[in-house]
């Protein structure tokens, strides 16, 4: 059987809120090392990769590898019934067709069990090669969210450029143009307010803002976001999940025909 | 004109 008890249940609620509008159905792959998920959006433009390591759980048991087929909208409905401070336990039998979510209130005076039907999903797993990215930028996740939202009101695509000076986001549309530059700033008080640029080569790529906007639904998971870019490769937008792993989004670039 | 690429074209199907 599989059982995972998560003291900080709100993390799972946040993960679902971040991905439920991008991906419809997906397998949660459970193994003795944790829970992993990989899924594409329906247009095959973006890919989501989630890792929740066993060590981040208060209790974790997985007797054999299980692929739990889940409709994310339905799981989100269930998790919305958990309080933000609740402990969430996931349970599934090896041959079962349901998953149980148990919510425990912080002082243990309310215990709720929600059972959700699983589905059979033929998933296509993609091998993501290790890449030495030309530019890696870490910046406040709220700042990234703000920039992407602001640019979305002006254009449909954004050019993201990284030089040793910083990272720039540009767009254009019927009403005009916009260009935002965030400079490296490592001398701010709080580490989470820093913007850091690691660069091997300047890079500039074009992406659909609609997807970048969708990725920023993960902002609540981490105060910082890391953007990794290389010429003619998908951008990686990564939110680290404290003690547990990460939520990564890969977005295919737009290129000249 | 810019063309949206497919994410699958960048990764290997396992």
């Amino acid at each position: 059987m599989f059982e995972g008890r998560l003291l900080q249940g709100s993390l799972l609620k946040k993960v679902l809120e971040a991905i439920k509008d991008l991906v419809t159905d997906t397998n949660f792959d459970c193994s003795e090392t944790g829970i992993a998920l990989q899924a594409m959006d329906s247009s095959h433009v973006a890919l989501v990769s989630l890792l929740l390591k066993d060590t981040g759980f208060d209790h974790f048991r997985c007797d054999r590898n299980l692929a739990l087929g889940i409709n994310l909208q339905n799981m989100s409905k269930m998790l919305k019934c958990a309080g933000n401070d609740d402990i969430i336990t996931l349970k599934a039998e090896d041959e079962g067709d349901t998953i149980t979510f148990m919510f425990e209130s912080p002082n243990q005076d309310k215990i709720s069990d929600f059972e959700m039907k699983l589905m059979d999903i033929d998933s296509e797993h993609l091998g993501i090669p290790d890449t030495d990215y030309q530019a890696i930028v870490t910046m406040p996740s709220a700042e990234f969210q703000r920039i992407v939202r602001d640019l979305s009101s002006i254009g449909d695509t954004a050019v993201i450029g990284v030089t040793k000076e910083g990272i720039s986001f540009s767009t254009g549309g019927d009403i005009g143009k916009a260009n935002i530059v965030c400079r490296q700033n490592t001398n701010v008080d709080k580490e989470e307010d820093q913007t850091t640029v690691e660069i091997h080569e300047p890079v500039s790529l074009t992406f659909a803002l609609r997807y970048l906007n969708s990725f920023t639904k993960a902002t609540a998971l981490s105060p910082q976001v890391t953007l990794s870019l290389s010429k003619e490769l998908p951008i990686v937008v990564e939110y680290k999940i404290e003690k547990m792993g990460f939520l990564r989004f890969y977005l295919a670039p737009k290129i000249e025909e | 004109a810019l063309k949206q690429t497919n994410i699958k074209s960048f990764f290997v199907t396992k």
Side-chain angles (χ1 to χ4, degrees):
Chain A
M1 72 173 289
F2 159 69
E3 195 169 276
R5 185 171 190 261
L6 188 58
L7 294 180
Q8 210 182 335
S10 59
L11 279 182
L12 196 60
K13 286 163 72 82
K14 288 174 188 168
V15 166
L16 261 288
E17 286 314 293
I19 63 176
K20 74 175 168 57
D21 297 324
L22 191 63
V23 174
T24 314
D25 303 317
T26 184
N27 280 322
F28 279 65
D29 296 312
C30 305
S31 71
E32 59 181 15
T33 58
I35 303 174
L37 172 164
Q38 192 197 78
M40 280 178 282
D41 77 295
S42 58
S43 317
H44 294 179
V45 172
L47 180 126
V48 180
S49 172
L50 169 73
L51 177 67
L52 300 174
K53 285 185 278 199
D54 62 323
T55 48
F57 289 82
D58 168 55
H59 162 76
F60 194 90
R61 170 183 165 186
C62 187
D63 300 336
R64 72 179 182 92
N65 292 358
L66 286 179
L68 305 174
I70 285 178
N71 173 285
L72 294 181
Q73 293 286 345
N74 292 346
M75 181 168 168
S76 166
K77 283 181 195 168
M78 297 254 167
L79 292 187
K80 277 193 176 151
C81 302
N84 273 331
D85 301 325
D86 281 2
I87 297 164
I88 299 182
T89 302
L90 312 173
K91 278 188 257 185
E93 300 294 335
D94 286 349
E95 306 293 341
D97 56 2
T98 60
I99 179 168
T100 299
F101 305 107
M102 184 174 79
F103 310 140
E104 297 167 68
S105 65
N107 57 1
Q108 304 286 315
D109 57 359
K110 182 179 168 194
I111 312 283
S112 318
D113 276 294
F114 286 72
E115 189 181 273
M116 190 180 80
K117 291 175 190 157
L118 294 173
M119 52 200 293
D120 280 326
I121 298 170
D122 263 339
S123 70
E124 192 175 15
H125 263 267
L126 298 176
I128 301 167
D130 281 335
T131 306
D132 288 325
Y133 285 94
Q134 289 170 337
I136 299 173
V137 177
T138 300
M139 65 188 290
S141 58
E143 187 63 60
F144 178 64
Q145 181 179 41
R146 168 92 198 262
I147 290 168
V148 168
R149 192 183 59 212
D150 288 350
L151 294 189
S152 299
S153 65
I154 294 163
D156 296 329
T157 61
V159 177
I160 302 182
V162 187
T163 65
K164 63 180 192 312
E165 312 301 326
I167 181 165
S168 64
F169 302 86
S170 322
T171 192
D174 294 343
I175 64 165
K177 291 195 280 192
N179 182 46
I180 300 170
V181 179
C182 295
R183 292 207 179 117
Q184 172 152 260
N185 65 346
T186 46
N187 51 2
V188 288
D189 288 347
K190 283 199 240 159
E191 207 170 305
E192 62 190 53
D193 293 334
Q194 286 188 356
T195 298
T196 56
V197 177
E198 263 177 72
I199 188 163
H200 301 296
E201 228 177 302
V203 58
S204 174
L205 287 163
T206 304
F207 299 100
L209 277 163
R210 186 164 72 85
Y211 288 93
L212 294 174
N213 229 340
S214 174
F215 303 164
T216 63
K217 288 176 184 166
T219 302
L221 279 171
S222 174
Q224 292 246 294
V225 62
T226 300
L227 312 175
S228 304
L229 296 110
S230 268
K231 197 182 169 198
E232 290 173 1
L233 280 185
I235 185 174
V236 189
V237 179
E238 176 177 279
Y239 296 85
K240 292 204 166 61
I241 306 175
E242 208 183 346
K243 292 179 197 149
M244 297 217 72
F246 56 76
L247 179 59
R248 287 182 192 147
F249 300 96
Y250 296 80
L251 177 60
K254 291 194 163 208
I255 56 168
E256 288 289 340
E257 281 194 83
Chain B
L2 291 172
K3 187 182 80 169
Q4 175 63 61
T5 53
N6 185 318
I7 195 80
K8 284 167 79 173
S9 64
F10 296 96
F11 300 133
V12 195
T13 307
K14 275 188 193 169

